[in-house]
Amino acid sequence: MQNKVTTLEETAQRVDLKISEGKTKLLRITAKQESQINITGIAIKDVGEFIYLGSKVIKSGGTDDDIIAGIEKTHQAFGILRPMWKASSISTNTKLILFNTNVKAVLLYGSEAWRTTLTTSAKIQTYVNRCLRQILKLKWFDKVPNADLWT
């Protein structure tokens, strides 16, 4: 691994870039070797987690905490737009456009760093369905299947 870091450092120097020792962290996932990695003779700090694009990346590869945090942030964005969802003067189509551009964007920010599993996909889908039911003013006793929300 040290050879790869050294090669990266040399390549960066050729194009007048410098790797910051203070900002560089090392997260080992299923590593066979635990030897120290250095940049310009300074040891890179081994960490168990770090933040990337606002998302928490952890050694175990789990993203559940990050998805829950994303849903909480999205819940705030959805709440701010509550007057829009309740307004009868705004068409359903416009409300759906607002939802897709303002709420789903918050929900999916940083999702490229998430580990996609059936469980995580289900959590996200459940939240989106719940939001759509509120926008469409559907109650639990209306018994509208989730598949019908998307047609």
Side-chain angles (χ1 to χ4, degrees), residues 9 67 77:
E9 189 177 6
I67 291 170

Side-chain angles (χ1 to χ4, degrees), residues 10 16 40 43-44 47 62-63 70 93 97 102 108 116 118 120 123 136 144-148 151:
E10 291 168 356
D16 292 330
T40 62
I44 299 175
V47 296
T63 55
N93 193 35
I97 290 170
N102 293 296
L108 298 176
T116 307
L118 292 175
T120 58
K123 284 180 185 179
L136 299 172
V144 176
N146 288 335
D148 290 350
T151 57

Side-chain angles (χ1 to χ4, degrees), residues 10-124:
E10 291 168 356
T11 304
Q13 286 176 349
R14 276 188 254 141
V15 292
D16 292 330
L17 294 175
K18 183 181 177 207
I19 300 172
S20 171
E21 303 90 6
K23 294 180 182 178
T24 304
K25 308 286 185 245
L26 177 64
L27 178 70
R28 299 176 196 256
I29 300 174
T30 63
K32 293 178 184 169
Q33 292 183 344
E34 295 292 324
S35 60
Q36 187 63 50
I37 306 296
N38 300 309
I39 294 179
T40 62
I42 298 173
I44 299 175
K45 182 180 177 184
D46 261 313
V47 296
E49 63 182 44
F50 66 93
I51 304 297
Y52 176 71
L53 294 177
S55 297
K56 187 187 291 186
V57 179
I58 60 176
K59 197 170 198 166
S60 66
T63 55
D64 291 342
D65 293 341
D66 209 28
I67 291 170
I68 291 168
I71 289 173
E72 289 172 2
K73 289 176 191 172
T74 305
H75 191 64
Q76 291 175 347
F78 187 80
I80 289 169
L81 293 170
R82 192 167 310 283
M84 301 297 162
W85 312 140
K86 292 183 176 184
S88 58
S89 60
I90 300 174
S91 72
T92 301
N93 193 35
T94 302
K95 290 177 185 181
L96 293 175
I97 290 170
L98 282 170
F99 176 73
N100 286 329
T101 56
N102 293 296
V103 179
K104 278 173 89 174
V106 172
L107 177 63
L108 298 176
Y109 180 78
S111 62
E112 59 274 356
W114 294 348
R115 181 183 69 183
T116 307
T117 63
L118 292 175
T119 305
T120 58
S121 296
K123 284 180 185 179
I124 294 167

